[in-house]
Amino acid sequence: MGTTVVKFGGTSLASAEQIRKAAAIIRSNQNGCFVVASAPGKRFSDDIKVTDLLYACCEEARGGGDFRPTFGQIKERFDAIIRDLGVDLDLSEDYAKIEAHLEAHPHRDTMASRGEYLNSKIIAAYLDFPFIDPADAIRFDADGRLDAEKTDEGLRAALKTLSRAVIPGFYGSLPNGKIHTFSRGGSDVTGSLVAKAVKADVYENWTDVSGLKIADPRIVREPRTIHIISYKELRELAYMGATVLHEDAVFPVREAGIPIHIRNTNDPDAPGTMIVPEAPAEKPDIPVTGIAGRKGFAIIFIEKTMMNAEIGFGRKCLSVIEESKVSFEHMPSGIDTLSIIVNGAEFSKHRRKVIDGINAAVKPDSISYENDLALIAVVGHGMLRKKGLSAKVFGALADAGVNIRMINQGSSELNIIIGIDEADYETAIRSIYNAFYG
Ligand code: ASP
């Protein structure tokens, strides 16, 4: 076994008790182990994440208000962790620097990054691991885009002589030396970049859920967990709203062929979800890996006699949609009819422009639209060449009394996309889940 990268999310490091659980997991790794840490998250549902307190503090300072009470709460969170862990660490110099920063020129990203920075210092001291500041290794360009090459070099150089270290997640630096953060939840991205740089065997992402569920647990009661899923399947499900980690966290490890293991800090024996570069050769017993969906789409119906003979008809319609800055999703068609499925919110904003533009561009016999469409993706490598699969999906929807408005199957047979009325969304998800897993 080689190196493992373990990233712990905010709830996994929200208190001394949680950090102890994480430390037990880290210490159970016999080989190289790099730890990527988030800022302390919520300890209970009404709690405030340290990152949010830091943003609030920065806003107060920028507005000329008194940031000290909020900063006091932040210090208290860290001091309580230090005290309860019993580590010999004094952060007063760091606190003084942050206060001076707030007084002089409060910068949002610098402030937000201090949650990860301080928490990682504590965890490094508790584990007796070296602390590595990613400001010197993770690099963004002047526009704030990650410089993947420089970052890979920077992380490799910083970690090459080490077999273990604690690295704060969420931030790096700009060419001018200023701190820059990823978008929210970005410690997942740091973990992925570190895993790629050290050529880890696995990137373990420790969170507060035991992996990705087959369907949304807010809709299906106690859905089963997906134990193994390919990067391609994950991407399909994530696009349709199934979230388990930051979108940008997938690419560095996927490129390097490193699996991601989603695990639960509060239930370390649970198998979790393994995200693998390629689907296993052996077909699963149940062909559907996951079911996800989203509301908020609109459908535009266009009709014109002899549409099929008019070369460029579809392109002209799509150009209007593109110029109107509306995202297009699917385009099922008949001989003389075309339906275009688009993002509902963007369409309502630019509806006049789209309708007038299509009228002018292709002179249809009729054009109409409907809002409130939901899309559901049924995803799984096991669906490839599986006879009767769609019959089962559509049979389940028919039995549940759900009318299907649109069907689209990707050429890879990896997914079937179904358009339905938003009002039928929950019933549809439940009926498909039950057809395969009930
Ligand atoms: N602390 C940051 C956030 O709350 C980053 C992270 O936890 O991944 O978004």
Side-chain angles (χ1 to χ4, degrees), residues 7 9-10 38-39 49 51 116 170 183-188:
K7 180 260 164 180
S38 277
K49 287 176 164 199
T51 308
E116 276 57 23
F170 196 34
S183 55
R184 295 300 302 263
S187 299
D188 283 342

Side-chain angles (χ1 to χ4, degrees), residues 277-345:
E278 293 299 333
E282 202 180 302
K283 284 265 168 84
D285 296 339
I286 300 178
V288 170
T289 305
I291 305 154
R294 273 200 281 146
K295 294 182 181 178
F297 295 94
I299 183 160
I300 307 167
F301 304 102
I302 304 163
E303 219 173 311
K304 186 175 186 185
T305 310
M306 301 299 287
M307 175 193 290
N308 67 320
E310 222 178 286
I311 292 173
F313 192 96
R315 178 186 51 77
K316 286 179 201 160
C317 294
L318 288 185
S319 300
V320 172
I321 288 171
E322 182 186 353
E323 282 154 19
S324 309
K325 303 229 173 325
V326 173
S327 312
F328 133 81
E329 301 286 332
H330 300 280
M331 193 169 66
S333 64
I335 300 294
D336 289 335
T337 58
L338 193 67
S339 310
I340 306 180
I341 297 179
V342 291
N343 177 297

Side-chain angles (χ1 to χ4, degrees), residues 158-186:
L159 303 174
K160 72 171 184 270
T161 57
L162 303 173
S163 61
R164 43 193 217 166
V166 179
I167 305 134
F170 196 34
Y171 70 92
S173 61
L174 295 166
N176 63 8
K178 273 203 162 149
I179 295 283
H180 187 71
T181 65
F182 293 106
S183 55
R184 295 300 302 263

Side-chain angles (χ1 to χ4, degrees), residues 3-60:
T3 305
T4 304
V5 170
V6 291
K7 180 260 164 180
F8 289 89
T11 46
S12 298
L13 305 173
S15 62
E17 189 193 345
Q18 288 300 91
I19 291 174
R20 274 202 196 92
K21 289 184 199 167
I25 292 164
I26 294 161
R27 290 191 182 115
S28 70
N29 274 289
Q30 301 300 322
N31 299 294
C33 184
F34 294 97
V35 181
V36 174
S38 277
K42 292 185 180 197
R43 295 158 293 182
F44 40 87
S45 64
D46 292 342
D47 200 11
I48 307 175
K49 287 176 164 199
V50 164
T51 308
D52 289 318
L53 289 172
L54 287 161
Y55 280 127
C57 203
C58 187
E59 286 316 307
E60 284 157 5

Side-chain angles (χ1 to χ4, degrees), residues 294-302 330-334 337-342 347 368-376 393-394 397-398 401-409 416-425 428 432:
R294 273 200 281 146
K295 294 182 181 178
F297 295 94
I299 183 160
I300 307 167
F301 304 102
I302 304 163
H330 300 280
M331 193 169 66
S333 64
T337 58
L338 193 67
S339 310
I340 306 180
I341 297 179
V342 291
F347 178 61
S368 58
Y369 64 86
E370 274 178 31
N371 294 310
D372 307 330
L373 183 82
L375 295 180
I376 292 179
V393 174
F394 300 134
L397 292 174
V402 173
N403 178 45
I404 300 171
R405 313 269 313 275
M406 193 271 311
I407 302 167
N408 195 355
Q409 178 173 271
I416 298 176
I417 312 278
I418 303 153
I420 51 165
D421 285 338
E422 281 187 354
D424 288 331
Y425 178 69
I432 300 170

